[in-house]
Amino acid sequence: MAQTKKALLVDITRCIGCRACETACKEKNGLPMDDGAASGEPRSNRGERELSATTYNVVQERSGRFVRNFCRHCNEPTCASVCPVGAFTKLEAGPVVYDEDKCMGCRYCMMACPFHIPRYEWNRVTPRVRKCTFCADRVEQGKPTACSEACPVGATTFGDRDVLIAEAQARIRENPNGYVNHVYGVEEAGGTSMLFLSDVPFEQLGMRVDLPREPLPLLTFRVLSKIPDIVVLGGVMLGGIWWITHRREEVAKAEGAERQAASAGVRKPGGPA
Ligand code: SF4
Ligand code: SF4
Ligand code: SF4
């Protein structure tokens, strides 16, 4: 029987910035509590942190709100479409998972991701790409993600994607002045498993509002199909060139900062969300 597609609904109006989701994520994934995550240190003593190879989920302050940033587990993931060796797989239940044994370290996924999510382990001899896993093992067992289970105020909830979309729309209907009339993630980049509600326009939260509604891999294909020679020559290997070209400069800058931060043992912002 086909598995129901799961999702997380992050209601930014409910988030109190406690970062219990960060701690739970670190514990679940066996990640070090570095960069101040869940240290209990007052937020004002820390600069804004970013995603890193050891932080798959961050709660950032934007326009007076707390906003989680983590992999959106796109319905049609661009990371998977550009990976020449098939290291990324979209599972039926929703998670986009990564197989480090297949990865050859080209980092096309990092360049292609419209949300600038995947990070690279610069400090390892055999580096891996790192990002939120959507707690795929738990989801496969029918359990909620660690971050949603840890949220004390129900700002992050786990469930069937259809049900969560209906729930989000109902919240908007019942409190039209309390929400922007949009559920972010229903259509962005062809739809994602991570859905967001907010009372502040999403662009003011640093979230991309310029993304097309159709899946980016489809767009990639359409652009390429208008250039017959490239299609013939490139085939699957060149599947991500449109996005890669678009993102290369931006990612190079972000990677430079990350590499510097990794060698200095300090995390620095990795670039735009
Ligand atoms: S947000 Fe980026 S890394 Fe996550 S599934 Fe989408 S394209 Fe892949
Ligand atoms: S879904 Fe799992 S891996 Fe992703 S942020 Fe939540 S706890 Fe971390
Ligand atoms: S655990 Fe819930 S309330 Fe706390 S920061 Fe995360 S989403 Fe916000």
Side-chain angles (χ1 to χ4, degrees):
M1 197 175 71
Q3 206 168 0
T4 318
K5 197 169 270 181
K6 303 296 181 188
L8 289 180
L9 172 60
V10 180
D11 188 333
I12 289 165
T13 70
R14 296 185 181 185
C15 180
I16 54 173
C18 68
R19 304 167 83 203
C21 52
E22 286 188 21
T23 312
C25 180
K26 293 248 179 193
E27 283 171 359
K28 162 75 179 78
N29 292 291
L31 299 169
M33 298 285 174
D34 54 3
D35 60 27
S39 63
E41 189 186 340
R43 293 198 66 91
S44 55
N45 290 349
R46 291 188 295 264
E48 181 169 275
R49 291 161 310 101
E50 250 292 349
L51 295 175
S52 75
T54 56
T55 300
Y56 304 166
N57 167 54
V58 283
V59 182
Q60 299 171 321
E61 272 186 88
R62 300 272 167 87
S63 299
R65 299 291 181 277
F66 299 108
V67 186
R68 291 188 63 186
N69 189 25
F70 56 138
C71 174
R72 310 301 160 86
H73 297 274
C74 307
N75 291 346
E76 303 279 349
T78 324
C79 56
S81 78
V82 301
C83 180
V85 292
F88 288 90
T89 309
K90 174 80 176 173
L91 303 181
E92 211 182 328
V96 174
V97 293
Y98 161 80
D99 182 345
E100 65 191 71
D101 293 332
K102 288 188 181 164
C103 180
M104 62 175 195
C106 67
R107 290 177 286 115
Y108 281 9
C109 54
M110 295 170 68
M111 293 180 231
C113 173
F115 299 103
H116 186 51
I117 297 297
R119 295 296 192 269
Y120 201 55
E121 291 182 315
W122 296 107
N123 288 336
R124 271 176 58 119
V125 180
T126 50
R128 298 167 299 181
V129 171
R130 305 277 82 188
K131 70 170 194 68
C132 158
T133 63
F134 199 172
C135 292
D137 53 341
R138 292 177 61 105
V139 170
E140 290 288 303
Q141 293 164 23
K143 292 185 195 162
T145 63
C147 54
S148 59
E149 202 169 62
C151 183
V153 291
T156 293
T157 45
F158 171 85
D160 292 350
R161 188 170 185 270
D162 291 349
V163 173
L164 288 180
I165 291 172
E167 163 69 22
Q169 288 166 342
R171 285 186 205 175
I172 294 173
R173 243 188 345 267
E174 283 157 21
N175 186 9
N177 295 326
Y179 289 104
V180 171
N181 187 17
H182 182 66
V183 184
Y184 190 99
V186 172
E187 292 183 326
E188 277 76 10
T192 66
S193 299
M194 304 310 170
L195 308 164
F196 295 83
L197 275 176
S198 175
D199 58 340
V200 169
F202 289 100
E203 59 268 37
Q204 289 175 28
L205 301 175
M207 294 169 79
R208 290 192 62 176
V209 292
D210 60 342
L211 292 169
R213 292 178 175 194
E214 54 196 328
L216 292 174
L218 262 185
L219 264 185
T220 310
F221 179 76
R222 201 168 302 151
V223 170
L224 287 171
S225 66
K226 292 202 169 90
I227 315 169
D229 286 345
I230 287 185
V231 171
V232 170
L233 286 172
V236 175
M237 287 293 286
L238 285 178
I241 198 135
W242 186 80
W243 265 98
I244 289 165
T245 308
H246 212 63
R247 296 274 299 152
R248 184 164 284 153
E249 202 175 309
E250 197 180 347
V251 170
K253 246 187 265 164
E255 284 187 356
E258 268 175 41
R259 222 180 277 137
Q260 264 183 355
S263 55
V266 179
R267 303 284 164 209
K268 291 191 177 164

